Amino acid sequence: MNEIKVFSPASIANLSCGYDILGVCLDNIGDEITVRKTKKKGVVIKKVSGQKLSTDISLNVAGVSATALLNETKVNCGFEIEIHKGIKPGSGIGSSAASSAGSVFAINKLIGEPYTNKELIKFAMYGEMAASGSKHADNVAAVLLGGFTFVRNSIENDYFKLNTPIEIAFTVIHPKIELKTKDSRAVVKDKVLLKNMIEQSANLGAFISGLYTEDYDLIGRSLKDVIIEPLRSVLIPKFEKIKSVSINSGALGCGISGSGPSVFAMCKGVTTAINVGNAMKKIYDKLDLDYDVHISCVNDIGIKILKTN
Ligand code: HSE
């Protein structure tokens, strides 16, 4: 195989109760990444379309993660990468994760798959580090493993997939303001109150139990964030209003997608997800604020191969 084109999907990190450790892979929004072998060694980013981003491999996260992989695995060729960005950087649905994970996934296939997708997470995290100054694995784990994912310990490369209840659908609204992950992480405090730690862990445990027992009500009751959301929600226009109309329109729960500014609602069924999206739109229409809305089921596979040559 000399060339591969992949679809690298968007993802929602944190899911309210799991800051930096929970994620879910989305289905119909993502980047398309083509990687080709070259005679000349090294990595080159030949083209980026869809968004204005650097082609410098030390600045573009796809180049950073690819370089990390090739620093560990010596190969006798080089690679050129073309990226079509379907996800806007700074939107809160894992734009950097899609590019970081997509390039290492594609290169791994081209070199005969010496790594499992789980092992690729550590390389993709270098891209996250370059984008946000922190090596969080929640988005890249979701993109590389698919479905709902859990990061137990990224230093020990301990990640696993959780169960996906069949009817889960997501609504994501992206108000068109840019909020950099770095800036959104800067408002998070180092210390938490013990009572908040207890409430957050109780919700996280119950949420995971709800995924396995497919108890949609329990999932909804557990989608709460008493630690990070109060600090970050002030950065998102009309967050509380978006949340209340989502719940009133039938969402199981609603919270900040990753580091924002996108807001997600988790729903039982696509019809409810569409209704929730329509209710969310009305809030931003009143403000005259530009937005995108995405409705997505859970992508249980993760990155998909579109073409090989
Ligand atoms: N867990 C990360 C954060 C995700 O909330 O900062 C960033 O997409």
Side-chain angles (χ1 to χ4, degrees):
M1 197 195 300
N2 282 314
E3 182 178 322
I4 183 167
K5 183 176 184 182
V6 300
F7 174 76
S8 194
S11 51
I12 300 174
N14 304 333
L15 292 164
S16 301
C17 52
Y19 181 64
D20 276 359
I21 53 183
L22 259 184
V24 67
C25 187
L26 298 179
D27 210 16
N28 48 10
I29 164 165
D31 297 346
E32 286 184 4
I33 300 177
T34 305
V35 183
R36 193 163 307 117
K37 282 185 185 165
T38 55
K39 284 205 179 88
K40 194 166 175 243
K41 285 194 176 183
V43 180
V44 174
I45 299 181
K46 210 179 146 204
K47 192 173 145 195
V48 181
S49 58
Q51 295 291 330
K52 264 201 169 158
L53 287 173
S54 174
T55 53
D56 182 329
I57 59 157
S58 63
L59 298 176
N60 188 303
V61 296
V64 173
S65 60
T67 306
L69 189 158
L70 294 170
N71 282 343
E72 190 181 285
T73 313
K74 302 293 167 219
V75 288
N76 256 340
C77 64
F79 301 91
E80 64 178 31
I81 305 176
E82 284 181 25
I83 305 164
H84 180 71
K85 289 293 299 172
I87 316 171
K88 206 172 164 359
S91 56
I93 48 171
S95 176
S96 53
S99 292
S100 307
S103 71
V104 293
F105 175 93
I107 292 176
N108 188 47
K109 292 280 176 205
L110 290 175
I111 60 176
E113 286 189 77
Y115 298 102
T116 62
N117 284 1
K118 187 165 135 181
E119 287 165 341
L120 292 174
I121 294 171
K122 69 173 178 195
F123 302 121
M125 270 200 297
Y126 281 90
E128 292 292 61
M129 179 74 191
S132 70
S134 112
K135 262 185 160 183
H136 57 275
D138 43 359
N139 290 101
V140 287
V143 174
L144 281 160
L145 302 180
F148 285 92
T149 46
F150 194 79
V151 178
R152 194 199 64 81
N153 188 319
S154 56
I155 295 159
E156 295 172 20
N157 289 322
D158 198 357
Y159 314 98
F160 48 91
K161 233 177 128 147
L162 305 166
N163 183 56
T164 299
I166 194 78
E167 288 186 81
I168 290 294
F170 283 93
T171 313
V172 177
I173 189 158
H174 169 215
K176 298 264 187 80
I177 54 164
E178 190 178 353
L179 180 55
K180 292 208 167 81
T181 299
K182 203 176 271 177
D183 298 333
S184 189
R185 290 183 82 83
V187 304
V188 174
K189 298 205 170 86
D190 278 342
K191 294 199 168 82
V192 298
L193 289 175
L194 182 63
K195 75 176 174 69
N196 286 346
M197 189 280 280
I198 294 167
E199 193 172 340
Q200 198 90 342
S201 344
N203 281 321
L204 177 60
F207 178 81
I208 292 171
S209 172
L211 289 182
Y212 280 94
T213 53
E214 312 216 347
D215 181 338
Y216 292 88
D217 289 337
L218 179 60
I219 290 171
R221 293 202 299 282
S222 318
L223 264 176
K224 294 211 174 83
D225 176 0
V226 294
I227 297 174
I228 315 293
E229 187 178 289
L231 302 169
R232 281 181 166 173
S233 56
V234 291
L235 306 171
I236 300 168
K238 294 276 177 209
F239 174 77
E240 292 302 336
K241 191 79 191 146
I242 293 274
K243 191 168 169 172
S244 65
V245 297
S246 299
I247 306 288
N248 291 340
S249 305
L252 299 169
C254 176
I256 303 170
S257 176
S259 56
S262 288
V263 177
F264 77 92
M266 199 165 162
C267 303
K268 185 179 180 186
V270 175
T271 309
T272 305
I274 293 169
N275 291 340
V276 167
N278 290 337
M280 287 173 161
K281 283 178 189 174
K282 285 189 191 143
I283 307 299
Y284 285 154
D285 282 342
K286 270 192 213 139
L287 281 189
D288 214 7
L289 177 64
D290 211 4
Y291 58 81
D292 284 324
V293 171
H294 307 285
I295 308 292
S296 178
C297 292
V298 176
N299 165 359
D300 209 41
I301 296 165
I303 301 177
K304 292 174 186 162
I305 298 175
L306 299 177
K307 212 163 82 184
T308 58
N309 253 324

